[in-house]
């Protein structure tokens, strides 16, 4: 899972095995470790849930992003690239979320592209 944060926008790119994991009901997690203790870590967790829209919540040390299970099914079974939308937090803020497939970089080493979707720009 690749995460990019700009202002109040979060972009999450998923490799193919991660999209399959979500479809199978397993969460995806990345941890940024400032230290070895749990209170010195920031986790980003992506999971499916039984709601019709994207969701995001923050608990101390964890950003939880939720996508409808139907979204993960469409990502696995079609050519759809992703989903996006503005999510209202319980505190009245608006956060823009973009969840999308991660395509191979054309100029990156092969190991960086492992598990990525084939880049559509590779074919004429």
């Amino acid at each position: 899972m690749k995460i990019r944060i700009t202002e109040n926008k979060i972009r999450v790119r998923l490799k193919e095995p991660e999209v399959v994991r979500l479809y199978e009901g397993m969460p995806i997690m990345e941890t940024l470790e400032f230290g070895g203790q749990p209170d010195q870590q920031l986790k980003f967790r992506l999971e499916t849930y039984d709601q019709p829209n994207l969701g995001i919540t923050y608990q101390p040390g964890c950003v939880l992003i939720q996508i409808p299970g139907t979204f993960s099914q469409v990502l696995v079974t079609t050519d759809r690239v992703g989903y996006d939308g503005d999510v209202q937090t319980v505190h009245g803020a608006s956060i823009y979320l973009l969840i999308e497939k991660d395509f191979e970089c054309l100029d990156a080493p092969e190991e960086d592209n492992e598990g990525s979707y084939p880049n559509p720009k590779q074919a004429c």
Side-chain angles (χ1 to χ4, degrees):
M1 175 166 55
K2 295 178 183 176
I3 303 161
R4 178 182 288 168
I5 301 171
T6 307
E7 297 172 356
N8 244 28
K9 301 173 185 173
I10 299 177
R11 177 183 183 191
V12 177
R13 294 189 327 190
L14 301 170
K15 294 184 180 259
E16 190 169 8
E18 294 169 325
V19 172
V20 171
R21 283 181 52 122
L22 276 178
Y23 173 70
E24 293 173 347
M26 295 180 277
I28 309 299
M29 185 154 13
E30 291 290 341
T31 302
L32 181 62
E33 295 188 18
F34 294 93
Q37 301 302 315
D39 66 345
Q40 299 170 328
Q41 299 173 352
L42 178 58
K43 297 178 189 252
F44 290 85
R45 180 181 169 111
L46 179 65
E47 64 184 27
T48 58
Y49 74 148
D50 211 11
Q51 296 294 320
N53 299 307
L54 295 170
I56 188 167
T57 57
Y58 174 76
Q59 300 167 357
C62 184
V63 175
L64 174 61
I65 300 171
Q66 296 171 303
I67 68 168
T70 55
F71 286 14
S72 68
Q73 180 181 9
V74 170
L75 289 175
V76 165
T77 60
T78 72
D79 289 337
R80 181 155 182 165
V81 174
Y83 287 93
D84 70 326
D86 288 305
V87 179
Q88 301 299 314
T89 70
V90 294
H91 301 292
S94 178
I95 298 174
Y96 174 77
L97 290 178
L98 172 60
I99 313 298
E100 62 185 349
K101 294 175 180 176
D102 185 36
F103 293 106
E104 293 175 337
C105 294
L106 299 178
D107 58 357
E110 187 60 36
E111 62 269 9
D112 289 350
N113 285 327
E114 188 173 328
S116 297
Y117 287 87
N119 191 315
K121 292 184 179 179
Q122 287 178 330
C124 296

